[in-house]
Amino acid sequence: MSQACPAAIAAAPARRGPRRLSRRAAFAVVAAIIVLFLAASSAPSPLYVVYQHQWHFSSGTLTAVFAVYVVGMLASLLVFGGLSDHLGRRPVLAAAIGLEAVALVLFLVAGDVSVLYLARFLQGVATGTAMTTLGATLVDLNPPHAPGRAGLVNGVTPTTGLALGALGCGFLVEYAPAPTRLVYALLLSAIVLAALAVAAMPETSARRPGARASLVPRLGVPAGARADFYALVPIIVASWALGGLYLSLGPSVAAGIFGLSNHLIGGLVVTALCGTGALTTFALRRRATGEVLRIGAGLLATGTTVTLAGIATDSVVSALAGTLIAGVGFGASALAMFGALGKLAGPAERGALFAVGYTIAYLAFSVPAVAAGLATTAAGLRPTAIVYSLTVIVLGLAALAAHGFRAARARAKAVR
């Protein structure tokens, strides 16, 4: 018996580790998870009006609930942005997915605005942690025969997710039962599937020391890039401030100014901006950054002007046309921002520069929206929307002027 055991062991097949997804399949899974996280982040937008009606809070509180998500997201981008470089992609993604699941459970059981605050904050932390890690994982898995694919997917999937989340939630709120519960139950199911997919993914980043040191935020604009970076600030602020307005008060504007109380339309307001932005990012992916910036700034100002005319005259057609035009500017501006930032600094300085860009972007995404919510409570929805739109127009024109000035200086230097 003792002599048979070694032979039996030798004849037995070698024990294999857990089956992993191929790199191609893992790339597709990561792209889908990005869409899922951003869809979950925009899903509450059509519901804000419902919560406000049920729990009787002001527009200022509504935008504060929106802003606390951005605070959590910005904090996680700055603190956890480099953590997966040290711990590996899969552990950090698993933690982000777990935290997102907790947030969705809180949404499911929320009975007052305090739980909503907590759910949105945790969702912001989870989304910020996931986005930096997912973006890095896409680059890790990028197929060698298509070197630009990860950048394109990183540019298109966030706005696609925002558009799908708002549209899907708007449909469910209007036509399905349990409007404040069903969407979160479906998202929670999808998050569970995402967790299983991450467990089956290959690890693309080896562990290395320095995890604790990576938690210290590093911000900085290289001295040689400051003039070009400052010229980008108006378009960053204009585009992200417009996105913040649509995601926080867009459905309220549709209902309060135009009388469009259908919740699907509230979702379509967000989708019109973000969906058009996603298509634009894909369409302009091969254009030069300077050209894309001009398109973005010009159409952002033009579209907001047309929308403003619709708000002033109660014209739904004008407001919709302006939103679609501004959506093109929104997508082009985002593409130009990331393209320009990537060229302004070397590899050793790029992370800190992107952190500054993200900080400005998310502050513009949240602070003006909160101010608009407070102004709506004090002065009304229409005057607030008009002033906000005028500010975006001025910033868009300033971005055009700044870019023109920088381009003229570059041409003058080339002549010398």
Side-chain angles (χ1 to χ4, degrees):
M1 185 72 177
S2 61
Q3 292 178 349
C5 287
I9 293 172
R15 186 175 291 179
R16 296 179 180 179
R19 185 178 179 85
R20 298 290 180 202
L21 296 172
S22 68
R23 293 177 66 87
R24 183 176 180 180
F27 187 93
V29 164
V30 171
I33 294 174
I34 294 175
V35 172
L36 173 60
F37 264 93
L38 271 298
S41 75
S42 67
S45 291
L47 280 168
Y48 287 145
V49 175
V50 179
Y51 290 133
Q52 192 175 21
H53 176 74
Q54 289 183 350
W55 299 335
H56 308 289
F57 55 79
S58 68
S59 295
T61 300
L62 185 154
T63 49
V65 171
F66 167 77
V68 78
Y69 162 81
V70 180
V71 170
M73 187 174 187
L74 183 58
S76 65
L77 284 170
L78 295 176
V79 176
F80 301 126
L83 191 59
S84 69
D85 292 335
H86 301 275
L87 298 183
R89 310 295 187 214
R90 292 171 64 235
V92 177
L93 276 179
I97 287 172
L99 191 59
E100 179 74 17
V102 172
L104 291 172
V105 169
L106 288 173
F107 278 121
L108 269 171
V109 302
D112 57 53
V113 75
S114 63
V115 179
L116 205 58
Y117 272 121
L118 179 59
R120 281 300 269 173
F121 177 76
L122 294 179
Q123 188 179 49
V125 175
T127 304
T129 305
M131 291 305 294
T132 54
T133 309
L134 289 164
T137 309
L138 277 178
V139 176
D140 296 341
L141 295 168
N142 194 81
H145 66 275
R149 185 171 296 175
L152 176 61
V153 173
N154 266 324
V156 172
T157 48
T159 45
T160 301
L162 291 173
L164 291 177
L167 181 63
C169 182
F171 178 85
L172 291 175
V173 172
E174 184 64 30
Y175 299 111
T180 61
R181 301 283 187 268
L182 179 60
V183 64
Y184 298 121
L186 293 174
L187 288 169
L188 186 60
S189 301
I191 281 291
V192 171
L193 294 177
L196 296 175
V198 167
M201 281 172 45
E203 178 56 74
T204 60
S205 180
R207 282 178 174 264
R208 61 186 177 90
R212 185 174 298 178
S214 75
L215 300 178
V216 179
R218 290 176 176 84
L219 299 174
V221 179
R226 284 174 187 166
D228 289 320
F229 178 79
Y230 296 149
L232 279 174
V233 170
I235 192 64
I236 294 173
V237 174
S239 57
W240 287 76
L242 186 65
L245 177 68
Y246 272 77
L247 281 163
S248 59
L249 289 177
S252 297
V253 170
I257 293 179
F258 298 108
L260 303 174
S261 57
N262 184 294
H263 297 295
L264 177 59
I265 293 176
L268 281 170
V269 169
V270 178
T271 303
L273 185 81
C274 297
T276 306
L279 293 174
T280 301
T281 302
F282 181 80
L284 299 180
R285 65 193 184 280
R286 293 190 176 92
R287 299 287 187 94
T289 299
E291 182 185 3
V292 174
L293 195 151
R294 285 195 303 274
I295 293 171
L299 292 183
L300 203 65
T302 302
T304 307
T305 301
V306 175
T307 303
L308 177 59
I311 292 172
T313 61
D314 290 326
S315 171
V316 175
V317 173
S318 179
L320 175 59
T323 297
L324 294 174
I325 296 169
V328 175
F330 180 68
S333 299
L335 182 61
M337 168 191 162
F338 291 115
L341 288 179
K343 296 175 181 177
L344 289 182
E349 301 167 316
R350 199 167 289 151
L353 182 62
F354 266 87
V356 176
Y358 271 121
T359 301
I360 293 172
Y362 282 108
L363 287 174
F365 198 56
S366 57
V367 174
V370 173
L374 296 173
T376 297
T377 302
L381 193 56
R382 190 189 300 271
T384 300
I386 290 172
V387 171
Y388 202 111
S389 299
L390 288 172
T391 304
V392 171
I393 292 167
V394 169
L395 287 168
L397 295 175
L400 273 177
H403 175 71
F405 177 72
R406 297 297 299 168
R409 285 193 62 182
R411 286 195 297 270
K413 285 182 180 179
V415 170
R416 293 175 195 168

